[in-house]
Amino acid sequence: MSVRLPQQKIGSVPCAVGFSLFTWLGFYKKTSAEDELIHTIKHCILFIQRYDYIKAEQLLHVALRQAQQMQHQLAITYIYDVMANLALEREHLDKAKDLFVAVTQRIMADGATEDDFRVVHISTKLARISHLKKDYQTAQMGYEWCLEKLEKIIKSDPSEEKMKLFALAEDWYGRLFLDTNQYEHALKLMTDSLEKMQSVSDIEKEHIATQMNDIGTVCDLLGKTDESLHYFKEAIEIGKKLEMELGTMYVNLGRAYIKKKLLSEARKNCGLALKIGVMSKNKDVKEEAENCFQEIKRLN
């Protein structure tokens, strides 16, 4: 019996697209034409934050034409970067890779070195793309290279922006080990990532709750039931305050209680999951909760 790991979105807005909003390429408002371009890009970002990716991509092409007409090279590079992040968000992996490579080539042609935070930032996402394409060897080399560079960067400039990328890289690398059934390595990286995430002020609490639930899952896979209970409970407490959909987390907590032979607590949490599954018409949660009750019956 295993605890179900919920499907994760790739690079949520705080950790992917939102990383490069009008800062790291030095893109500033100067003229009326640039004012119009910035207005267009802001609307692109707004659509991305609302998960309206089709409208965002359409408007990004409008912004790109504006920037090309102005021959505004920094703006063109910035727009390519936003396009790349959006393609990664949508799991259009080949497109994302091509765009990130183009951005890297442009900023390196403008003088950036491989130690430049912008280059490491993009390299982290290229490693993630290799990971998602199941090219684990390339992904692992990429993650290792990026973490080594980030560790040096943070020693001289421990800003929240850089710490956030370090935490994201560790989390993604941990998930690579999870995908390849190397659970101890996964747990170490994911818990290190969580600690860093909790020190950063603008990380969404929903992300923290999801990460705690996933760490609880890894603990369960390792047979560390007490630790998994801790993480599941913490995730649920945060999720309650945010009014998150908690069905899967309650199932996970219920199953952990089954392993501890605490069947009353297991029944309670699987019941909450079943209620959520029925009310939200979530067939997966409903089925998992029913399976949980079947397991409890077998133990009675």
Side-chain angles (χ1 to χ4, degrees), residues 37-297:
L37 175 57
I38 290 171
H39 181 74
T40 303
I41 294 173
K42 283 183 176 179
H43 275 84
C44 295
I45 300 298
L46 184 62
F47 282 128
I48 291 169
Q49 292 173 339
R50 292 175 178 173
Y51 305 106
D52 192 343
Y53 298 144
I54 294 175
K55 286 184 180 179
E57 186 158 8
Q58 291 171 343
L59 206 53
L60 279 168
H61 285 286
V62 173
L64 183 60
R65 286 197 298 272
Q66 291 175 327
Q68 289 170 335
Q69 288 168 0
M70 294 163 56
Q71 296 186 347
H72 196 313
Q73 297 305 315
L74 285 175
I76 292 169
T77 304
Y78 174 81
I79 293 164
Y80 279 154
D81 181 66
V82 177
M83 285 179 165
N85 279 289
L86 180 57
L88 179 55
E89 188 84 14
R90 300 178 72 186
E91 298 189 52
H92 297 169
L93 301 180
D94 289 334
K95 181 177 180 180
K97 180 180 178 180
D98 290 344
L99 285 164
F100 279 129
V101 169
V103 174
T104 304
Q105 290 171 340
R106 290 177 67 87
I107 63 176
M108 293 190 81
D110 203 35
T113 67
E114 67 174 24
D115 295 319
D116 191 299
F117 178 66
R118 297 167 296 172
V119 174
V120 178
H121 179 147
I122 295 169
S123 298
T124 304
K125 292 173 183 175
L126 287 169
R128 176 62 172 169
I129 289 168
S130 294
H131 177 181
L132 293 169
K133 295 178 79 169
K134 302 189 186 304
D135 183 356
Y136 296 129
Q137 184 175 3
T138 301
Q140 183 167 0
M141 288 190 294
Y143 287 139
E144 290 281 1
W145 184 87
C146 292
L147 288 170
E148 182 181 343
K149 295 292 183 184
L150 284 166
E151 190 170 3
K152 292 178 181 178
I153 289 169
I154 286 172
K155 282 182 180 178
S156 60
D157 178 18
S159 67
E160 287 205 342
E161 180 186 22
K162 294 173 176 60
M163 187 64 71
K164 183 161 57 173
L165 182 61
F166 199 170
L168 181 65
E170 284 186 322
D171 182 52
W172 282 348
Y173 193 16
R175 291 173 190 276
L176 182 151
F177 284 119
L178 183 59
D179 291 344
T180 55
N181 301 321
Q182 299 178 72
Y183 301 134
E184 289 285 0
H185 290 307
L187 182 61
K188 174 65 167 61
L189 283 159
M190 291 172 74
T191 52
D192 285 351
S193 171
L194 177 62
E195 184 178 344
K196 292 180 179 68
M197 289 281 185
Q198 290 174 315
S199 72
V200 176
S201 61
D202 66 340
I203 293 292
E204 289 184 352
K205 293 296 184 183
E206 184 172 352
H207 183 96
I208 297 294
T210 301
Q211 197 170 11
M212 283 183 167
N213 178 70
D214 294 353
I215 290 171
T217 299
V218 181
C219 290
D220 177 85
L221 291 167
L222 286 166
K224 299 181 178 183
T225 308
D226 289 336
E227 291 181 42
S228 72
L229 282 168
H230 166 75
Y231 283 110
F232 292 144
K233 287 177 182 178
E234 287 288 313
I236 288 169
E237 286 305 308
I238 296 171
K240 282 179 181 177
K241 295 174 184 176
L242 301 173
E243 298 183 356
M244 291 173 62
E245 207 283 350
L246 299 175
T248 295
M249 294 185 189
Y250 277 122
V251 168
N252 288 347
L253 183 56
R255 284 176 165 171
Y257 277 125
I258 289 173
K259 288 190 173 183
K260 295 289 290 184
K261 301 294 191 294
L262 297 172
L263 301 187
S264 177
E265 288 295 322
R267 192 177 294 106
K268 173 185 172 183
N269 285 282
C270 292
L272 289 169
L274 182 60
K275 181 179 179 181
I276 291 170
V278 171
M279 292 182 67
S280 64
K281 297 181 180 179
N282 187 323
K283 293 181 180 179
D284 289 338
V285 169
K286 182 175 177 291
E287 182 180 340
E288 292 288 343
E290 288 170 346
N291 290 340
C292 186
F293 275 114
Q294 289 174 11
E295 182 66 21
I296 292 168
K297 287 179 182 179

